[in-house]
């Protein structure tokens, strides 16, 4: 058998097969392994080896390894020294932790010279959970590729079935020791700290929480490069079991096993609560505290577990400037202790203490946000951790522009004396204030109209909007003002699900913008973007894409350096590509939008939630459900941080999350998420809102998949009841609900009625979508499935093969809709008594 090299992807594939095999009883397991062997003999062989090793060492660790065991080591009895592991020979033991031992090794095959670090799972700790954690660490490291993260080079099993992985050997010192030995100043320490944050942020974006950040795991090389080590107790956000902050946890770690370092552990970690990325933010706060003061916030040496919990969870840490020892000034290259304390006081005290807050939601939202506040401090700009009073902000301004202090003082005197300079900028500012006053006055008039004498006691927002839309006609002589007010009114219509009147307002606002700036400007570009959104909501995707591209061209012309707007436009275009079924075009657009947003400061969780969710949807459509689920979980967490647990944005991300959970095979979890979404959207939007209709359809589709046909039909009819009300006849939700109702009726032996609904759904999609759209092909495939049930196999074959062919032209092989189409073909040939054809198409399902 030719051995295949264990790349990162191969390791992930191996782990997935091993985990699946573990969950099966002996009989089904052997069938599963035979199936795997037919497709990939090397993979099946490796899985069998892992199962043997698991059987031999499948016992739990009854007690933690003692501190003495970790410290004492007799090299003369170390059986690993001199052992050959792959291409490497073990030469020296570096150290031990609770579950692994790390050795230095050198290349031993005469190909080239290389020093590496090899980590082995301790034989004493080789229980099921620790084996699992070791595999997770290997998977985590394989997924990380960053200049500040120690790289994984190889991994596998020794001859005696001991798991190991080979890592980049880092010649360096813990960051605190490295800085102190060189008496680095505070600015230099903060620069290094930003490297740590960059590595941690990268890990978080790769869906990994480290959970054991401390100086011993953060080394600095002679060249001054930071390297983050030891992901032994990290967790993958895409593993098992949701946490409150949107992450996902491995099984709980026993406090007694010391699977974290108490001095650096967050309160939620100490208390055994679920942890997420903000737990790492807390640990980063402790590291920065120690970098600056030489101390950790709490001295926990010799304390009992109960005392540790009480101190970390309840006691407020001292400010770094107050805790700073007098002898520390020299190590910080400050002239006197007073100067050192003054340097730490204010911003740095506030920054560190914000990271160390007891409540996760009150800390920085990410390592990136933490680093951004440090950068703002270094640039003498206002920091998020400080109150934003006028005195503070003015002080920051003066410090940032010391040479211009005199000019600032003159400007302030002029302000106090009421003397305004007649510059172009002042005139523009005055014009903007005047415009804002005009808008405010108009809106106040609009809202005042909503009184009993005008419309009666129970006036609705729609009535007020309709009245306001008529009043805007009086502003034709002020096109700029008219455009701004029509934007507000149109946006309100859009939020209410009134898409057609929203489009009318956006069109008239666009005309006003063009009247104000015939040659085009940024406002016109924005107006085109809003018009595109209204068209998209109505399902007119081709028109919406055309208008959006016009908007993008104007932005490129008038605001080429606006990165945030570029991200918004890329995200919008990516969504339209999803709607049009062009997933391979959508993914790079959505990835670039998210990448731009992630490097934008300050952090905007509301915007990020959208970007995570949109990329998650297209990733699922491309068949990568676990990755999609992780992105959607991050989106839900960001939305909740921004708006709380109940909000339209939270609901909009929960809806696709439920679908992805279903595709991943977790139907009970999906059911729960669907119900939560339905309840939230009905409460927030009402029973006739189009977005609520989409959720009803998605839930109906779920019920169909789990074979609850009467319920599926009932929910599909609820969607169709909105036809002619909040949904137009050609709205995409109408055609999808028709198709779903037809399929449900087919399963309830109402074949004649089922065919009518299926044909009507196909007809609407042919009239609504452009030729070649994947939803047209999907409708034809579903109609073919209907003819399998009626026994008209030749007609079924015609529709099923045509649908599959057209889907293949527009979707990826792994897309769920593609796999569904092929499943239908397999069932056709099974029902038709053509086993060879069925086997051929069954094989395509595994390609």
């Amino acid at each position: 058998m030719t051995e295949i090299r264990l790349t990162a992807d191969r390791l992930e594939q191996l782990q997935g097969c091993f985990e699946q095999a573990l969950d099966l009883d002996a009989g089904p397991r052997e069938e599963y392994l035979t199936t795997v062997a037919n497709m990939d003999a090397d993979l099946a062989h490796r899985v069998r080896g892992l199962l043997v090793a698991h059987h031999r060492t499948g016992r739990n660790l009854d007690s933690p390894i003692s501190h003495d065991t970790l410290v004492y080591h007799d090299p003369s009895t170390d059986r690993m020294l001199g052992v050959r592991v792959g291409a490497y020979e073990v030469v020296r033991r570096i150290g031990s932790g609770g579950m692994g031992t790390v050795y230095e090794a050198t290349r031993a095959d005469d190909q080239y010279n290389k020093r590496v670090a090899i980590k082995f799972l301790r034989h004493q700790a080789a229980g099921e959970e620790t084996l699992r954690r070791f595999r997770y660490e290997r998977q985590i490291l394989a997924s990380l590729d960053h200049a500040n993260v120690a790289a994984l080079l190889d991994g596998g099993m020794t001859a005696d079935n001991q798991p190991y992985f080979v890592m980049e050997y880092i010649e360096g010192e813990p960051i605190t020791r490295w800085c102190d030995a060189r008496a680095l100043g505070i600015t230099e320490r903060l620069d290094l700290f930003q490297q740590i944050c960059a590595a941690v942020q990268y890990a978080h974006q790769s869906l990994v929480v480290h959970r054991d950040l401390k100086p011993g795991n953060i080394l600095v090389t002679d060249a001054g490069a930071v390297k983050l080590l030891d992901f032994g107790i990290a967790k993958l956000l895409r593993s098992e079991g949701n946490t409150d902050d949107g992450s996902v946890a491995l099984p709980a770690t026993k406090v007694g096993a010391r699977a974290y370092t108490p001095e650096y552990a967050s309160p939620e970690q100490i208390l055994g609560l679920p942890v997420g990325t903000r737990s790492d933010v807390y640990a980063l706060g402790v590291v920065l505290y120690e970098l600056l003061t030489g101390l950790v916030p709490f001295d926990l040496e010799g304390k009992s577990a109960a005392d540790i919990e009480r101190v970390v969870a309840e006691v407020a840490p001292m400010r770094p400037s107050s805790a700073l020892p007098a002898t520390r000034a020299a190590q910080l290259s400050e002239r006197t202790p007073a100067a050192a304390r003054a340097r730490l006081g204010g911003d740095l005290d506030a920054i560190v203490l914000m990271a160390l807050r007891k409540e996760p939601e009150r800390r920085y939202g990410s390592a990136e946000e933490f680093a951004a506040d440090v950068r703002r401090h270094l640039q003498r700009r206002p920091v998020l951790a400080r109150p934003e009073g006028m005195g503070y902000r003015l002080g920051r301004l003066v410090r940032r522009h010391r040479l211009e202090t005199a000019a600032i003082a003159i400007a302030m005197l002029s302000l106090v004396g009421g003397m305004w300079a007649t510059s172009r900028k002042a005139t523009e500012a005055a014009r903007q204030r005047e415009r804002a006053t005009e808008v405010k006055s108009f809106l106040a008039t609009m809202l005042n109209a909503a009184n009993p004498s005008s419309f009666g006691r129970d006036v609705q927002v729609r009535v007020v909007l309709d009245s306001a839309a008529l009043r805007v006609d009086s502003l034709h002589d002020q096109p700029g003002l008219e455009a701004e007010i029509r934007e507000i009114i149109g946006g309100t219509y859009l939020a209410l699900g009134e898409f057609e009147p929203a489009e009318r307002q956006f069109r008239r606002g666009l005309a006003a913008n063009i009247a104000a700036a015939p040659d085009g400007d940024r406002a016109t570009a924005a107006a085109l973007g809003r018009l595109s959104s209204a068209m998209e909501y109505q399902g007119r995707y081709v028109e919406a894409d055309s208008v959006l591209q016009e908007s993008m061209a104007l932005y490129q012309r008038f605001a080429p350096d606006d990165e945030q707007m570029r991200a918004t436009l890329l995200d919008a275009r990516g969504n339209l590509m999803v709607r049009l079924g062009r997933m391979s075009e959508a993914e790079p657009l959505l990835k670039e939008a998210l990448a731009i947003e992630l490097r934008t400061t300050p952090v905007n969780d509301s915007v990020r939630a959208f970007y995570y969710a949109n990329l998650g949807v297209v990733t699922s459509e491309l068949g990568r459900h676990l990755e999609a689920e992780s992105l959607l979980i991050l989106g839900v967490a960001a939305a909740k941080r921004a708006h709380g647990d109940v909000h339209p944005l939270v609901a909009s991300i929960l809806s696709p999350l439920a679908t992805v959970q279903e595709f991943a095979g977790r139907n009970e979890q999906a059911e729960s998420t669907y119900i939560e979404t339905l309840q939230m959207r009905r409460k927030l939007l009402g029973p006739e809102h189009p977005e609520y209709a989409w959720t009803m359809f998605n839930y109906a589709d779920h019920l169909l998949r789990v074979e609850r046909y009467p319920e599926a039909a009932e929910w599909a009819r609820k969607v169709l009841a909105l036809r002619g009300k909040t949904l137009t006849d050609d709205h995409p939700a109408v055609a999808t609900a028709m198709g779903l109702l037809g399929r449900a009726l087919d399963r309830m032996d109402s074949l004649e009625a089922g065919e009518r609904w299926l044909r009507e759904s196909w007809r609407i999609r042919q009239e609504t979508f452009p030729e070649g759209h994947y939803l047209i092909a999907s409708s034809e495939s579903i109609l073919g499935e209907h003819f399998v049930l009626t026994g008209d196999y030749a007609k079924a074959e015609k529709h099923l093969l045509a649908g599959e062919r057209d889907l293949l032209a527009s979707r990826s092989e792994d897309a769920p809709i593609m796999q569904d189409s092929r499943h239908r073909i397999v069932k056709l040939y099974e029902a038709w008594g053509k086993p060879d054809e069925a086997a051929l198409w069954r094989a395509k399902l595994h390609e």
Side-chain angles (χ1 to χ4, degrees), residues 156-172:
M157 304 283 286
T158 63
D160 61 348
N161 292 315
Q162 185 176 13
Y164 73 90
F165 56 81
V166 182
M167 293 174 54
E168 173 187 8
Y169 182 86
I170 307 299
E171 188 78 64

Side-chain angles (χ1 to χ4, degrees), residues 562-577:
D562 189 337
E563 277 210 316
Q564 286 185 312
M565 182 51 64
R566 175 171 168 73
T568 300
L569 294 169
L570 287 168
D571 184 75
R573 183 102 203 282
N575 276 328
L576 278 171
M577 293 301 98

Side-chain angles (χ1 to χ4, degrees), residues 21-42:
L22 274 180
D23 290 338
L24 299 174
D25 293 331
R29 178 186 296 173
E30 188 56 38
E31 292 179 11
Y32 170 71
L33 290 173
T34 301
T35 302
V36 172
N38 289 336
M39 296 182 290
D40 190 330
D42 176 78

